[in-house]
Amino acid sequence: MMEEALTRLHAGLPTNRLVTISTRKDKGWIGVTPLSAQPEPLHLARLKGVLGERWPTTSLLDMLKEAALRTRCTDCFTSLTVRENLSPAVLQHRLLLCLLGLGTNTGLRRVSAGNPEVG
C-alpha cells in the first residue's frame, strides 16, 4: 500500500504544477505551493469566546500543550532514523509549535521566529 502511494507520487511529480523540484539547495530541494486558507469552522468564533471568558490569560499554545500532555498524542510521532538526536521534551515542544503554526495559519517561520530556542 505504501509502495503504491509512493509510486503514484513519484509518477505524478513531473506534471504537478503545485510542486517544484530544484537543483539548488539554497531554498530547499522541493517546493510546494501553499494551499489557500480554508474557511473558519462554523462554531470557532463561539468556542474562542467561551475559552476567552473562562481562561482570559491562557494562550492557545498553553491549551494545546495541556491537551497533548493529557492525551500523550505526541508519543505517536517517532523518528525515522535509528538514532534519536532530540530529547522527548524538545521533540514534543517542536511538534506542538508546528501544530500551532500550521493549525492557526500563523506559519512555521513566524512561530519559530517567536521561539528562538527551537533553532
PDB file of all heavy atoms in Angstrom, residues 16-35:
ATOM      1  N   ASN A  16       2.979  17.796 -11.934  1.00  0.00           N
ATOM      2  CA  ASN A  16       2.248  18.517 -10.878  1.00  0.00           C
ATOM      3  C   ASN A  16       2.696  19.972 -10.852  1.00  0.00           C
ATOM      4  O   ASN A  16       3.834  20.278 -10.528  1.00  0.00           O
ATOM      5  CB  ASN A  16       2.496  17.847  -9.518  1.00  0.00           C
ATOM      6  CG  ASN A  16       1.584  18.375  -8.447  1.00  0.00           C
ATOM      7  OD1 ASN A  16       1.140  19.516  -8.491  1.00  0.00           O
ATOM      8  ND2 ASN A  16       1.294  17.524  -7.487  1.00  0.00           N
ATOM      9  N   ARG A  17       1.779  20.894 -11.193  1.00  0.00           N
ATOM     10  CA  ARG A  17       2.103  22.314 -11.245  1.00  0.00           C
ATOM     11  C   ARG A  17       2.334  22.921  -9.858  1.00  0.00           C
ATOM     12  O   ARG A  17       2.897  23.993  -9.739  1.00  0.00           O
ATOM     13  CB  ARG A  17       0.985  23.093 -11.932  1.00  0.00           C
ATOM     14  CG  ARG A  17       0.797  22.732 -13.392  1.00  0.00           C
ATOM     15  CD  ARG A  17      -0.426  23.395 -13.962  1.00  0.00           C
ATOM     16  NE  ARG A  17      -1.570  22.977 -13.148  1.00  0.00           N
ATOM     17  CZ  ARG A  17      -2.582  23.757 -12.792  1.00  0.00           C
ATOM     18  NH1 ARG A  17      -2.638  24.980 -13.185  1.00  0.00           N
ATOM     19  NH2 ARG A  17      -3.558  23.306 -12.047  1.00  0.00           N
ATOM     20  N   LEU A  18       1.872  22.248  -8.814  1.00  0.00           N
ATOM     21  CA  LEU A  18       1.978  22.787  -7.457  1.00  0.00           C
ATOM     22  C   LEU A  18       3.276  22.400  -6.759  1.00  0.00           C
ATOM     23  O   LEU A  18       3.553  22.856  -5.663  1.00  0.00           O
ATOM     24  CB  LEU A  18       0.778  22.342  -6.621  1.00  0.00           C
ATOM     25  CG  LEU A  18      -0.592  22.725  -7.187  1.00  0.00           C
ATOM     26  CD1 LEU A  18      -1.693  22.152  -6.319  1.00  0.00           C
ATOM     27  CD2 LEU A  18      -0.724  24.235  -7.295  1.00  0.00           C
ATOM     28  N   VAL A  19       4.058  21.529  -7.394  1.00  0.00           N
ATOM     29  CA  VAL A  19       5.305  21.054  -6.790  1.00  0.00           C
ATOM     30  C   VAL A  19       6.459  21.366  -7.739  1.00  0.00           C
ATOM     31  O   VAL A  19       6.364  21.132  -8.939  1.00  0.00           O
ATOM     32  CB  VAL A  19       5.251  19.530  -6.526  1.00  0.00           C
ATOM     33  CG1 VAL A  19       6.553  19.022  -5.955  1.00  0.00           C
ATOM     34  CG2 VAL A  19       4.097  19.187  -5.598  1.00  0.00           C
ATOM     35  N   THR A  20       7.544  21.897  -7.182  1.00  0.00           N
ATOM     36  CA  THR A  20       8.744  22.138  -7.988  1.00  0.00           C
ATOM     37  C   THR A  20       9.923  21.400  -7.362  1.00  0.00           C
ATOM     38  O   THR A  20      10.058  21.351  -6.143  1.00  0.00           O
ATOM     39  CB  THR A  20       9.086  23.642  -8.059  1.00  0.00           C
ATOM     40  OG1 THR A  20       9.258  24.145  -6.736  1.00  0.00           O
ATOM     41  CG2 THR A  20       8.007  24.423  -8.766  1.00  0.00           C
ATOM     42  N   ILE A  21      10.718  20.828  -8.213  1.00  0.00           N
ATOM     43  CA  ILE A  21      11.936  20.149  -7.778  1.00  0.00           C
ATOM     44  C   ILE A  21      13.102  21.015  -8.243  1.00  0.00           C
ATOM     45  O   ILE A  21      13.235  21.311  -9.423  1.00  0.00           O
ATOM     46  CB  ILE A  21      12.061  18.728  -8.376  1.00  0.00           C
ATOM     47  CG1 ILE A  21      10.807  17.902  -8.102  1.00  0.00           C
ATOM     48  CG2 ILE A  21      13.310  18.038  -7.847  1.00  0.00           C
ATOM     49  CD1 ILE A  21      10.533  17.613  -6.657  1.00  0.00           C
ATOM     50  N   SER A  22      13.948  21.430  -7.304  1.00  0.00           N
ATOM     51  CA  SER A  22      15.040  22.341  -7.612  1.00  0.00           C
ATOM     52  C   SER A  22      16.365  21.587  -7.686  1.00  0.00           C
ATOM     53  O   SER A  22      16.537  20.529  -7.094  1.00  0.00           O
ATOM     54  CB  SER A  22      15.130  23.415  -6.523  1.00  0.00           C
ATOM     55  OG  SER A  22      16.235  24.246  -6.739  1.00  0.00           O
ATOM     56  N   THR A  23      17.294  22.171  -8.410  1.00  0.00           N
ATOM     57  CA  THR A  23      18.649  21.603  -8.458  1.00  0.00           C
ATOM     58  C   THR A  23      19.558  22.325  -7.474  1.00  0.00           C
ATOM     59  O   THR A  23      20.710  21.972  -7.323  1.00  0.00           O
ATOM     60  CB  THR A  23      19.235  21.722  -9.879  1.00  0.00           C
ATOM     61  OG1 THR A  23      19.214  23.091 -10.272  1.00  0.00           O
ATOM     62  CG2 THR A  23      18.445  20.878 -10.855  1.00  0.00           C
ATOM     63  N   ARG A  24      19.007  23.374  -6.812  1.00  0.00           N
ATOM     64  CA  ARG A  24      19.776  24.145  -5.828  1.00  0.00           C
ATOM     65  C   ARG A  24      19.153  23.963  -4.449  1.00  0.00           C
ATOM     66  O   ARG A  24      17.947  23.983  -4.285  1.00  0.00           O
ATOM     67  CB  ARG A  24      19.758  25.622  -6.203  1.00  0.00           C
ATOM     68  CG  ARG A  24      20.462  25.877  -7.526  1.00  0.00           C
ATOM     69  CD  ARG A  24      20.432  27.308  -7.899  1.00  0.00           C
ATOM     70  NE  ARG A  24      20.806  28.128  -6.758  1.00  0.00           N
ATOM     71  CZ  ARG A  24      20.854  29.434  -6.778  1.00  0.00           C
ATOM     72  NH1 ARG A  24      20.539  30.072  -7.871  1.00  0.00           N
ATOM     73  NH2 ARG A  24      21.202  30.119  -5.709  1.00  0.00           N
ATOM     74  N   LYS A  25      20.014  23.821  -3.471  1.00  0.00           N
ATOM     75  CA  LYS A  25      19.548  23.551  -2.120  1.00  0.00           C
ATOM     76  C   LYS A  25      19.256  24.828  -1.321  1.00  0.00           C
ATOM     77  O   LYS A  25      18.656  24.765  -0.249  1.00  0.00           O
ATOM     78  CB  LYS A  25      20.590  22.715  -1.370  1.00  0.00           C
ATOM     79  CG  LYS A  25      20.105  22.218  -0.035  1.00  0.00           C
ATOM     80  CD  LYS A  25      21.154  21.398   0.665  1.00  0.00           C
ATOM     81  CE  LYS A  25      20.664  20.986   2.033  1.00  0.00           C
ATOM     82  NZ  LYS A  25      21.645  20.290   2.792  1.00  0.00           N
ATOM     83  N   ASP A  26      19.600  25.998  -1.831  1.00  0.00           N
ATOM     84  CA  ASP A  26      19.510  27.227  -1.040  1.00  0.00           C
ATOM     85  C   ASP A  26      18.122  27.468  -0.448  1.00  0.00           C
ATOM     86  O   ASP A  26      17.992  27.947   0.669  1.00  0.00           O
ATOM     87  CB  ASP A  26      19.968  28.439  -1.848  1.00  0.00           C
ATOM     88  CG  ASP A  26      19.215  28.609  -3.154  1.00  0.00           C
ATOM     89  OD1 ASP A  26      18.580  27.646  -3.619  1.00  0.00           O
ATOM     90  OD2 ASP A  26      19.279  29.718  -3.716  1.00  0.00           O
ATOM     91  N   LYS A  27      17.072  27.142  -1.162  1.00  0.00           N
ATOM     92  CA  LYS A  27      15.718  27.310  -0.624  1.00  0.00           C
ATOM     93  C   LYS A  27      15.015  25.964  -0.471  1.00  0.00           C
ATOM     94  O   LYS A  27      13.798  25.905  -0.333  1.00  0.00           O
ATOM     95  CB  LYS A  27      14.897  28.229  -1.520  1.00  0.00           C
ATOM     96  CG  LYS A  27      15.378  29.657  -1.498  1.00  0.00           C
ATOM     97  CD  LYS A  27      14.422  30.551  -2.219  1.00  0.00           C
ATOM     98  CE  LYS A  27      14.914  31.981  -2.118  1.00  0.00           C
ATOM     99  NZ  LYS A  27      14.013  32.915  -2.768  1.00  0.00           N
ATOM    100  N   GLY A  28      15.749  24.903  -0.477  1.00  0.00           N
ATOM    101  CA  GLY A  28      15.183  23.569  -0.340  1.00  0.00           C
ATOM    102  C   GLY A  28      15.070  22.886  -1.696  1.00  0.00           C
ATOM    103  O   GLY A  28      14.934  23.541  -2.729  1.00  0.00           O
ATOM    104  N   TRP A  29      15.136  21.603  -1.684  1.00  0.00           N
ATOM    105  CA  TRP A  29      15.091  20.827  -2.922  1.00  0.00           C
ATOM    106  C   TRP A  29      13.678  20.755  -3.494  1.00  0.00           C
ATOM    107  O   TRP A  29      13.483  20.715  -4.697  1.00  0.00           O
ATOM    108  CB  TRP A  29      15.586  19.407  -2.683  1.00  0.00           C
ATOM    109  CG  TRP A  29      17.010  19.304  -2.252  1.00  0.00           C
ATOM    110  CD1 TRP A  29      17.454  18.999  -0.999  1.00  0.00           C
ATOM    111  CD2 TRP A  29      18.188  19.512  -3.032  1.00  0.00           C
ATOM    112  NE1 TRP A  29      18.819  18.997  -0.965  1.00  0.00           N
ATOM    113  CE2 TRP A  29      19.306  19.308  -2.202  1.00  0.00           C
ATOM    114  CE3 TRP A  29      18.407  19.855  -4.355  1.00  0.00           C
ATOM    115  CZ2 TRP A  29      20.606  19.426  -2.659  1.00  0.00           C
ATOM    116  CZ3 TRP A  29      19.713  19.975  -4.803  1.00  0.00           C
ATOM    117  CH2 TRP A  29      20.786  19.761  -3.954  1.00  0.00           C
ATOM    118  N   ILE A  30      12.697  20.703  -2.593  1.00  0.00           N
ATOM    119  CA  ILE A  30      11.311  20.527  -3.028  1.00  0.00           C
ATOM    120  C   ILE A  30      10.508  21.745  -2.602  1.00  0.00           C
ATOM    121  O   ILE A  30      10.544  22.157  -1.447  1.00  0.00           O
ATOM    122  CB  ILE A  30      10.698  19.251  -2.407  1.00  0.00           C
ATOM    123  CG1 ILE A  30      11.507  18.024  -2.841  1.00  0.00           C
ATOM    124  CG2 ILE A  30       9.241  19.098  -2.813  1.00  0.00           C
ATOM    125  CD1 ILE A  30      11.101  16.747  -2.147  1.00  0.00           C
ATOM    126  N   GLY A  31       9.769  22.316  -3.543  1.00  0.00           N
ATOM    127  CA  GLY A  31       8.904  23.450  -3.245  1.00  0.00           C
ATOM    128  C   GLY A  31       7.453  23.049  -3.443  1.00  0.00           C
ATOM    129  O   GLY A  31       7.113  22.418  -4.450  1.00  0.00           O
ATOM    130  N   VAL A  32       6.612  23.383  -2.493  1.00  0.00           N
ATOM    131  CA  VAL A  32       5.189  23.074  -2.580  1.00  0.00           C
ATOM    132  C   VAL A  32       4.414  24.376  -2.492  1.00  0.00           C
ATOM    133  O   VAL A  32       4.619  25.169  -1.570  1.00  0.00           O
ATOM    134  CB  VAL A  32       4.755  22.113  -1.440  1.00  0.00           C
ATOM    135  CG1 VAL A  32       3.279  21.791  -1.539  1.00  0.00           C
ATOM    136  CG2 VAL A  32       5.582  20.836  -1.486  1.00  0.00           C
ATOM    137  N   THR A  33       3.528  24.605  -3.444  1.00  0.00           N
ATOM    138  CA  THR A  33       2.708  25.810  -3.449  1.00  0.00           C
ATOM    139  C   THR A  33       1.786  25.778  -2.235  1.00  0.00           C
ATOM    140  O   THR A  33       1.109  24.769  -2.001  1.00  0.00           O
ATOM    141  CB  THR A  33       1.863  25.870  -4.737  1.00  0.00           C
ATOM    142  OG1 THR A  33       2.753  25.808  -5.847  1.00  0.00           O
ATOM    143  CG2 THR A  33       1.028  27.123  -4.797  1.00  0.00           C
ATOM    144  N   PRO A  34       1.746  26.854  -1.452  1.00  0.00           N
ATOM    145  CA  PRO A  34       0.860  26.872  -0.278  1.00  0.00           C
ATOM    146  C   PRO A  34      -0.607  26.738  -0.688  1.00  0.00           C
ATOM    147  O   PRO A  34      -1.024  27.249  -1.722  1.00  0.00           O
ATOM    148  CB  PRO A  34       1.109  28.244   0.351  1.00  0.00           C
ATOM    149  CG  PRO A  34       2.394  28.722  -0.221  1.00  0.00           C
ATOM    150  CD  PRO A  34       2.533  28.074  -1.566  1.00  0.00           C
ATOM    151  N   LEU A  35      -1.343  26.036   0.133  1.00  0.00           N
ATOM    152  CA  LEU A  35      -2.778  25.900  -0.105  1.00  0.00           C
ATOM    153  C   LEU A  35      -3.479  27.189   0.299  1.00  0.00           C
ATOM    154  O   LEU A  35      -2.990  27.932   1.148  1.00  0.00           O
ATOM    155  CB  LEU A  35      -3.337  24.733   0.721  1.00  0.00           C
ATOM    156  CG  LEU A  35      -2.768  23.353   0.409  1.00  0.00           C
ATOM    157  CD1 LEU A  35      -3.285  22.330   1.408  1.00  0.00           C
ATOM    158  CD2 LEU A  35      -3.129  22.933  -1.006  1.00  0.00           C
TER     159      LEU A  35
END
